[in-house]
Amino acid sequence: MTAIASDASASGATFETVVRQYAALVPAVVIAYSLVIDPLINLQPVTDSGLGGADQIEKSTLLAQLLIPVLFVSLAFLSTIVYPRRWQALLPVLVPLVAFLCFALVSATWSPAPARSFMLATYQSVLCALLALSIAMSGDPLKIFRNILWVFAVAMAINLLFVVMRPPGSIGHQGIYPYKNTLGGAAACALIVALAHIGNRGTWIRFSAVAVSAIAVIVLVASESKTAIALAVFAPAAAFGVLYLSPRLNANAMLVMAIAGGAIVSASVVAAQIWLFTPDDLLRWMFGDPTFTGRTNIWAFIYSHITEAPAFGHGYRGFWGIGELSPKLHSEIEFIRATGSSHNGFLDIALDTGLVGLLLLTAFIVSTLWSATRASNGRGAAFLFLSIALFVLGRNMMESVLLWSSFFDNLLFVLAGLSAAYLASERKTAQPYLDHLGGRTR
């Protein structure tokens, strides 16, 4: 009987281990679909467009319609057998995230395309729930990101091959994606994830991280995406600076970021007054175009529609992509009539869900940044999470990404926020014991 009980116990432990490994693999599968599988299924010829979000040829989404529900249902079922670990640790980030998604679902009631709004809000909710379940069930966010490193390794290898074998568009390479900015975003994310793993103790992981970093830099430069290149430098540098300075200044990392941001804005205003340059001058110098490749025209158009429904918006995803009902068709500018987003995620959230949705999004962002700065465990977790958050926030200023799409960078932001909250709680739980050890040492 003892032997039978022992075998049953070992079998149960093995099953639990397999389930937790599967949970750690799920986010990598979801990101792989967005990063590699979907672009290859819907591979398009080289175009001359450098902006994302424009209306495209009809894409095949059948695999996504099958894959995401299957992953979610399987993980939800397994969570009834293998109980998620410390899921309450996710609450600081999960609560504002759920609040926004619930409001997005409710906004379908006043959307001009209620079925579309409800469907897309539900899909976004399922994606976020899938990531949250994966973290709680695996109990190891760092293993999740190690799996994601391998996905980026494959993505960069494939894109490098396409960069070498295919001709570039008129303004840069696009790799396996429809736009060069998507290639730039993928390469920048790969670089950030790889940089955080270079300090790993495992020789193979460290070597792979260096190789992915090198390939990502080549692909990033080939894309000629100015935004991605600038953010790929700024985000890791800013994250490192904040995490390095805050303990030495004995100041909260969020306060350090706020002071640094205020100083940059103030210095920019003073410089503009001294050298007498305007935002148009700056845009013309950086991009050769004061309209920011058409973005300022879109933003002016969108602002006029935000004021039509400032509190609750037009409904989640209830403005772009709704066919003949879309107000964009009444614009006098052809590019606006053809585009599929505001090219600014914050404007799109304000457009779709109004001030209420924008405030809920802000709460989610602040909680993510707060958790990222506290997720220190001696293995670069805080650097990884904060770098991802800063990069995606910067990219969201130029493209509609955050909680608006199933793009890899949106998934990385959500995953980083929830993972940071999980590890921050782990650190908080361990702190009294560490303090006790410190006292004994003294």
Side-chain angles (χ1 to χ4, degrees), residues 204-220:
W204 171 242
I205 294 178
R206 189 162 58 244
F207 171 80
S208 300
V210 171
V212 173
S213 298
I215 297 174
V217 169
I218 295 172
V219 173
L220 181 61

Side-chain angles (χ1 to χ4, degrees), residues 161-176:
L161 184 64
F162 271 71
V163 165
V164 171
M165 296 183 63
R166 299 180 79 189
S170 60
I171 53 178
H173 279 279
Q174 63 191 59
I176 61 175

